[in-house]
Amino acid sequence: VQLVESGGGSVQPGGSLKLSCVASGYRVKSGCMAYFRQTPGNEREVVAATGPSNMWYTDSVKGRFTISKDKANNTLYLQMNSLKPEDTAMYYCAATADRYCYTSAYKYNYWGQGTQVTVS
């Protein structure tokens, strides 16, 4: 399984970015996929997750971020609007064969390489 991420960058507060995660060896419709983020010295925290059984957003991004799957292109997206400086982090795509989305990073077997998002 390989997850290849793109779409990070630097934006001003209030701006938007769209992250993409292309999966190979894994069907995005089969299990839960999520985006996590991590800042130096901190653990990875789940930002949003979507799977056959449920969808989840952390409170700080509700109404601003949208996670979605493009099954035809086997790609996961995270549309991020109204970005804030506190959204600055390395963002990681993750996947699991589990149909239920958990918030713990330990539940995810596959990870992308990460893409940096900087809001300033």
Side-chain angles (χ1 to χ4, degrees):
V1 175
Q2 188 174 21
L3 304 176
V4 179
E5 302 180 57
S6 62
S10 296
V11 294
Q12 294 182 344
S16 298
L17 285 173
K18 187 174 185 177
L19 306 184
S20 300
C21 173
V22 179
S24 59
Y26 175 91
R27 294 190 302 169
V28 298
K29 67 178 182 179
S30 64
C32 178
M33 297 188 74
Y35 272 100
F36 285 74
R37 64 188 179 188
Q38 187 173 26
T39 53
N42 294 306
E43 294 185 354
R44 290 184 187 183
E45 63 167 356
V46 63
V47 175
T50 182
S53 297
N54 63 322
M55 180 178 285
W56 192 91
Y57 291 93
T58 193
D59 286 345
S60 63
V61 307
K62 287 180 180 177
R64 300 189 297 122
F65 291 11
T66 302
I67 191 168
S68 63
K69 292 179 179 179
D70 181 342
K71 297 173 184 177
N73 292 307
N74 216 38
T75 301
L76 178 74
Y77 297 105
L78 184 68
Q79 177 68 48
M80 304 185 294
N81 299 328
S82 302
L83 282 161
K84 303 176 180 180
E86 51 263 43
D87 295 317
T88 296
M90 184 71 79
Y91 283 70
Y92 296 90
C93 171
T96 175
D98 201 316
R99 294 175 62 85
Y100 186 84
C101 292
Y102 294 93
T103 58
S104 170
Y106 295 103
K107 293 290 189 177
Y108 294 82
N109 309 99
Y110 311 111
W111 291 87
Q113 80 282 6
T115 186
Q116 178 68 38
V117 171
T118 302
V119 185
S120 65

